[in-house]
Structure formats: structure tokens, C-alpha cells
Amino acid sequence: SNGNLRDLVEEGSYTRYNWFTSYPINNYNVTVNIANYAHFDDFHVSGKDTLSLDYYVLPNNLEKAKKQFEQVKPMLRCYETFFGPYPFWRDGFALVETPYLGMEHQSAIAYGNQYKVGYAGMDFSKIGLDFDYIIIHEAGHEYWGNSVSCKDICDLWIHEGFCTYAEAVYVECLHGYDIGQDYVNAKRPSVSNNSPIAGPCEVNEEGNGDMYNKGMLFLNTLRHVIDDEELWWDIIYGMAEDHKYETIDGETVIQYFNEKSGRDLTAIFNQYLYHSRIPMLEYKVKQKGSNVNLSYRWKADVENFDMPVQFTLDGENWFDVQPSQKWEKRTIKKASADKFAFNNQKFYINLKQLDD
């Protein structure tokens, strides 16, 4: 079960197993698993402290588990770097084999991915990466969902959006920034954008399932809106640490990002969270002699929406621009429009080029 086994008590012909959790826990994270488990353990060293790692698997899967679970310690090092120390240190980290795919049960993560890569053997990365999705994703929930939790499931995007972004952080840790961005953008086709990822509050209703991948794409967009790597990771780390063991709402997240970034990001949050559509950047580009004339504006649901983006004229050098919902014009001297493009890889947006 969750936490640590305190003792075994013989009661007639039965044995009572007493498990203890020393941290706050969501009721849906409480679990009991019963099987003829084989157990093996390991440890993760962080500074001068040691985290216990416990694995409970069916005996015939013991050797496969020992190999598959080698992914745990590199993942923990990555998450610790970007999100802070594992939040349930006293209770330890555990994977427990189950007959279902997985669940983020606090300090007793359900593992049922059959020791395959991806999601039940499917390439869930969509770019050929071979990590075990259930290990990486469900462990990400120890931070996002189990430690930082939403007050109302209308804000379940806090759990799933940040946790899915944790997958991209893991990919970037192992393979670098460019592959991390490939991982993020590979999920674009799976987003429907047909209803908001935040649901109506106080009626026990969550938002659209897009909250996983759209949440990741949105956070990646925010990273490039802020455009300051040190500040960005300070915000993400601070979010996990400053709201550890708390239940929060969407407004808390928005206020935190605004305060820490020193910018008002409210309109951007509102567009991506509370509306179905992502912002559309309409633009016109025309070669006039040796110059390029550029016009652009945002089409969005949120009033006074403005968000910076980048454009290129050569595919290599990128320039910042901050459109509003009014047409704006810019002349770029001694330039060619042949390779003109807006950056819709760092920014999750729709683009529409208009004729004059």
C-alpha cells in the first residue's frame, strides 16, 4: 500500500499488514495491492540524503523489472533538478505491478505497462524514443497532482498539463533541447481544441482530455513567451516547491506566474485554458523592391489578447514581434520574403496568411 510497511500482526489465522503514510494524500491516491509479490529495492542518493526505492512485481517478471526500472534513477535526478526533491521522501518511491496500465498512487505507483517501451508497446513519443511512458508519466504526478493538487477537478489541467510537460522535461534532460521540442510538437495532431481544458467549477466536472497534450504545448509556449531560461526554470521549480502539499486553483497558478515573471500573462492563460480555440495569427507578407512589408494581428477570444512571437526571413535568425488584435505594419529593409515564416514550433498557435 502507500507509504511504508510498519509491522505485521498475527490475528488468528490471518496476518494484518499495517502501512503508514506520513504526508497528506488525495483520497483517489490511496491503494491496496494484493499478490504473491517479489520485492527488490534500491536507493537514490541526493546530496547527503538517500531515498529508498521499492519495487513489487510478480515473481516471473523479476528479471525484466530489474532491467526496466533502471529508468527510475535518471528520471528522479532530472525531476529533482527541475522540480525539486522528491516530495514524499520519508515514505519512499515505489512501483507496484498491477493488472491495469498505471495510476499515480502516491508512493506506491501502479505499474502495468508489461515492461514495454512507450504506452503498452506503442511509440507514445511519436518520434522513436524508447522510454517506458508509465514510469515517467505516473512518477511525474508525484509532483504534479499528488504534491501540488487542485481544489476542484475543474482545474485538473494543473495535474495533467504540468505532468505531461514533465515528460518533455525528461526527454530534454536525456536528449537535449531540440529533441525535447520535437517531443512537444509531435503531440499537436492529437489535440482536438473542441472544448476548454479547464472545466466549470463547483459542479464536479473536469475539462477536455486535451489537458494532457494541450497543457504541455501551452506550457512550452509560455516558456518561450517568457524567453528567459533561468527565470522559466525558477518559476517551474518554485511552483512545485512553494505549493508543495497544497490544494490550489487555476487563479493561484496564474497569479504565481504573473508575480514571478513580472509580466501580466492573464490573457494568455485565459485563452488557452478557458476557450476551445488557440490564438490565430493572421498576417500579410509582400515583397516590395528590396524590402518586405509585413502586417499582422491576433484573432482570439480574449479581449486585449497580445502575445509575442518570432519570425524569420532566412530560417536561421529569429526576430521578436508582439502583435495585438489590431492590424500592425512593419517594413523590413533589404530583405527577401522567400523564406519568411512565423515560429509555430516554440509557440502553439494557428497561422493564416491573407492576400492583400
Side-chain angles (χ1 to χ4, degrees), residues 215-280:
M216 173 178 62
L217 285 155
F218 167 55
L219 287 170
N220 188 63
T221 298
L222 271 185
R223 175 183 182 178
H224 296 102
V225 166
I226 291 173
D227 198 27
D228 181 326
E229 287 292 281
E230 183 177 356
L231 176 58
W232 172 252
W233 295 118
D234 281 349
I235 294 172
I236 295 297
Y237 191 103
M239 187 77 209
E241 281 289 298
D242 294 344
H243 293 289
K244 185 184 291 186
Y245 317 133
E246 291 184 7
T247 54
I248 62 173
D249 56 21
E251 187 60 33
T252 303
V253 178
I254 297 171
Q255 290 177 358
Y256 189 88
F257 273 74
N258 286 349
E259 178 185 342
K260 295 298 181 180
S261 69
R263 302 172 62 168
D264 187 357
L265 303 167
T266 305
I268 300 175
F269 270 95
N270 287 346
Q271 181 64 45
Y272 284 91
L273 297 181
Y274 304 115
H275 295 275
S276 304
R277 299 181 300 177
I278 60 175
M280 170 80 75

Side-chain angles (χ1 to χ4, degrees), residues 191-208:
V191 180
S192 67
N193 286 320
N194 58 17
S195 62
I197 64 173
C201 294
E202 301 183 358
V203 291
N204 194 38
E205 185 175 345
E206 63 188 60
N208 190 290

